[in-house]
Amino acid sequence: MAKRSLPRHVGFIPDGNRRWAVGRGLSKEHGYRFGIEPGLALFEMCRSLEIPEVSVYCFTQDNTKRPSPQIEAFRSACVDFALEISRRGAALLVMGNDKSPLFPEELRPFRVREGEGIKVNLLVNYDWEWDLSGLRDGEIRSREISRLDLVVRWGGGRRLSGFLPVQSVYTDFYVVDDYWPDFRPEHFGQALNWFKEQDQTLGG
């Protein structure tokens, strides 16, 4: 059975921001801004490894049912992160329902991929049913995003939570029990080492 080296497309689910904040005596909404620097560090790590494409679960339509201070906090953190990686040269695509008032206006220009560096797909106000509903017009809405090789989730959750269901069909799934704001480079390093030991059969 074939072994793999580096994945060509990695998905990240940066979970645990609210639990991290509560554990430090902060309000839940304060956890999101502490996820920006880890995200930038991970972006630079992927770029240095020359991984061609990454996808990041920023927030879902279900997340927008949370209290308004949390909604404003994760929207703001998402915008700050997106604008910074764009400034650093990412080929950025923002994927999500931009017909909703909860879609950040600052990210609307990135509904078409901008830039020429490492491909970064940010899922913003994303919903898997919204994505698949594009089939009524012939294609899923996330058709520009390639098949995932590896998904890494922080926060201990053992579920994909609707993350790019078509692209995730054959992905390997690695869980980090630490909360996202406690990101360390070795988290991703361990995920990559684990990935290299997985068999690639794709059902064959």
Side-chain angles (χ1 to χ4, degrees):
M1 295 183 182
K3 300 287 184 182
R4 289 169 285 189
S5 54
L6 285 174
R8 294 191 57 78
H9 184 190
V10 185
F12 300 113
I13 304 178
D15 198 17
N17 299 276
R18 294 186 299 171
R19 287 172 286 165
W20 182 91
V22 170
R24 282 157 178 76
L26 303 172
S27 299
K28 289 180 178 179
E29 61 269 18
H30 288 107
Y32 297 109
R33 64 187 175 91
F34 287 96
I36 298 174
E37 286 302 321
L40 295 174
L42 184 55
F43 166 76
E44 293 294 349
M45 191 174 179
C46 289
R47 183 159 65 171
S48 68
L49 290 168
E50 299 184 347
I51 293 173
E53 186 173 3
V54 301
S55 293
V56 182
Y57 221 173
C58 289
F59 71 90
T60 70
Q61 290 184 28
D62 284 337
N63 294 153
T64 61
K65 300 171 185 174
R66 294 176 180 175
S68 57
Q70 294 181 36
I71 296 171
E72 185 54 38
F74 63 61
R75 287 177 76 248
S76 176
C78 178
V79 169
D80 289 348
F81 175 71
L83 296 180
E84 179 58 23
I85 62 170
S86 175
R87 189 189 69 79
R88 297 186 187 194
L92 179 59
L93 174 68
V94 174
M95 180 59 53
N97 184 0
D98 59 359
K99 301 296 190 291
S100 165
L102 293 171
F103 185 92
E105 284 299 316
E106 301 93 327
L107 300 186
R108 195 171 296 280
F110 302 105
R111 289 292 284 115
V112 176
R113 194 178 299 280
E114 293 283 343
E116 298 182 355
I118 176 177
K119 287 185 177 180
V120 180
N121 312 306
L122 299 186
L123 274 58
V124 174
N125 200 41
Y126 177 85
D127 177 77
W128 67 272
E129 291 178 300
W130 168 86
D131 191 352
L132 297 186
S133 69
L135 289 170
R136 300 189 193 109
D137 300 318
E139 294 182 286
I140 60 173
R141 298 183 190 274
S142 61
R143 57 190 174 274
E144 295 180 53
I145 299 176
S146 70
R147 183 174 62 79
L148 284 151
D149 298 310
L150 172 66
V151 170
V152 185
R153 178 170 185 154
W154 279 261
R158 265 70 175 167
R159 68 182 71 87
L160 284 170
S161 300
F163 182 73
L164 293 172
V166 173
Q167 291 87 348
S168 297
V169 65
Y170 271 116
T171 191
D172 285 307
F173 187 54
Y174 186 89
V175 176
V176 178
D177 288 325
D178 290 340
Y179 299 146
W180 170 244
D182 288 326
F183 166 81
R184 300 190 306 275
E186 53 263 37
H187 289 160
F188 189 39
Q190 290 162 1
L192 292 176
N193 288 334
W194 174 85
F195 176 82
K196 291 175 184 178
E197 296 303 315
Q198 307 311 302
D199 295 321
Q200 183 183 30
T201 63
L202 300 181

